[in-house]
Amino acid sequence: MSRHRIALFGGTLAFYLAIVVAVLMSSWLVTLDWKVMLFRPYQQWPGIHAFLDYYVVLGQRGPTAVMVACWLGWRSWRQHTLRPLLTLGASLLLLNVTVGAVKIGLGRLGPHYATQIGSAELFAGGDIFPSGHTANAVVTWGILAYLAATPRARRYLSAMSAIVSLGVGLTTVYLGTHWLSDVVLGWAAGLLILLGLPWVEPLITRAESWIFAARERLGARSRLVPSPPVTAGTPRPVPAGQPAVGEASAQNPVREPVTAGGRQAAVAAAGGRPRAHTAPPAHQSHGARSERPPVTPAGSRRPPHADRTPRGGTAPARPVAGS
């Protein structure tokens, strides 16, 4: 908060209080309100009524908040910061609290519900003083100028927000939904919110840091999911669909050893005779090749021959021809 901004805030606050006191005392400002109301601008210039019915939406809180939030959300994504959105949220919260409290506290009726000419119509259960449309237009469009990145953009956006909020306020007077003093107080209420935003900046910074820290903690928890510790003597967790150790499943039942006596008892209980033992098929009777014991052939694999003699022996005597 610079000295210049503090001076503007103090002057606007004094102007705000002066308007409230003037309405409470039913001064010349209330008389002006009645003169404008009895003039009935919507009857003097009916040609622009249809256009102003749409133009006044620029001061309605719901549509304007959505439009500005979309723009500031895009800026937050591009700049990797939550300050624009948090500033908009803080300003709208302050606007609802301050303006709403004065509306309910003073309870002023609108021009269409006035009961006595020249009366301020206060404390009658109304909720139009100050003008919410006007104050909302000042804050919602003025926040764009407050968050502008360059002085040139700030000047252009300030002029745009001033024109829009001025037009919205006068449109409510034209339509007969607000007194002129409601609109003047709405301008002052919105300007007070914009001028006092630097006092809220430390809270906005703290909220942004807390949100980023919470996001980091949640991300770390989702990335690191520790497995439950397994102590000695406790079974290990089994994946879904796989039977645990010692448990039978429909596909792999646990077979218990059956003795000869037990087999005969089971057959007798079933009422039949024991089946004869059949030899397994040829392809199942032999084990795997790796399970067979090596066989060493006994003796020579060659067939015996009459003319051959075994190694290490003496050859028989051949008969001599001619003897």
Side-chain angles (χ1 to χ4, degrees), residues 10 23 54 89 110 122 133 169 186 227 241 303-304:
V23 173
Y54 290 100
L122 293 172
H133 275 69
S227 58

Side-chain angles (χ1 to χ4, degrees), residues 75-320:
R75 281 191 55 184
S76 297
W77 177 73
R78 288 291 302 271
Q79 300 174 0
H80 303 284
T81 178
L82 293 177
R83 180 175 175 265
L85 286 176
L86 292 176
T87 304
L88 175 64
S91 62
L92 291 179
L93 179 62
L94 290 173
L95 177 67
N96 290 333
V97 171
T98 56
V99 174
V102 178
K103 277 175 174 286
I104 297 174
L106 295 179
R108 191 180 191 187
L109 294 175
H112 291 308
Y113 302 97
T115 57
Q116 184 180 357
I117 297 178
S119 171
E121 302 293 339
L122 293 172
F123 310 109
D127 58 351
I128 64 161
F129 183 70
S131 171
H133 275 69
T134 305
N136 184 73
V138 173
V139 172
T140 306
W141 302 110
I143 204 70
L144 299 178
Y146 178 82
L147 295 172
T150 61
R152 182 179 181 182
R154 189 175 295 109
R155 286 194 298 268
Y156 286 143
L157 290 174
S158 299
M160 182 203 73
S161 62
I163 293 172
V164 171
S165 59
L166 181 65
V168 168
L170 294 179
T171 298
T172 59
V173 176
Y174 167 86
L175 296 174
T177 56
H178 279 287
W179 306 98
L180 182 60
S181 57
D182 299 342
V183 173
V184 175
L185 194 66
W187 286 331
L191 188 57
L192 283 175
I193 300 296
L194 292 178
L195 291 174
L197 274 179
W199 279 322
V200 193
E201 287 286 349
L203 295 177
I204 294 174
T205 304
R206 255 181 272 170
E208 182 182 16
S209 302
W210 183 85
I211 292 173
F212 281 138
R215 187 188 66 174
E216 292 296 330
R217 287 195 298 268
L218 291 177
R221 288 180 183 177
S222 61
R223 288 191 299 266
L224 295 175
V225 181
S227 58
V230 179
T231 59
T234 58
R236 293 180 174 272
V238 181
Q242 181 178 352
V245 178
E247 296 181 359
S249 63
Q251 293 80 9
N252 299 318
V254 175
R255 301 181 181 232
E256 298 181 357
V258 181
T259 60
R263 184 185 298 274
Q264 293 177 0
V267 171
R273 294 191 309 172
R275 290 166 45 182
H277 176 73
T278 57
H283 66 277
Q284 296 181 0
S285 59
H286 302 287
R289 181 177 298 271
S290 61
E291 298 175 358
R292 297 178 186 175
V295 179
T296 305
S300 176
R301 294 185 181 182
R302 294 183 180 182
H305 196 276
D307 296 338
R308 294 181 182 177
T309 57
R311 294 181 181 179
T314 58
R318 296 183 180 182
V320 180

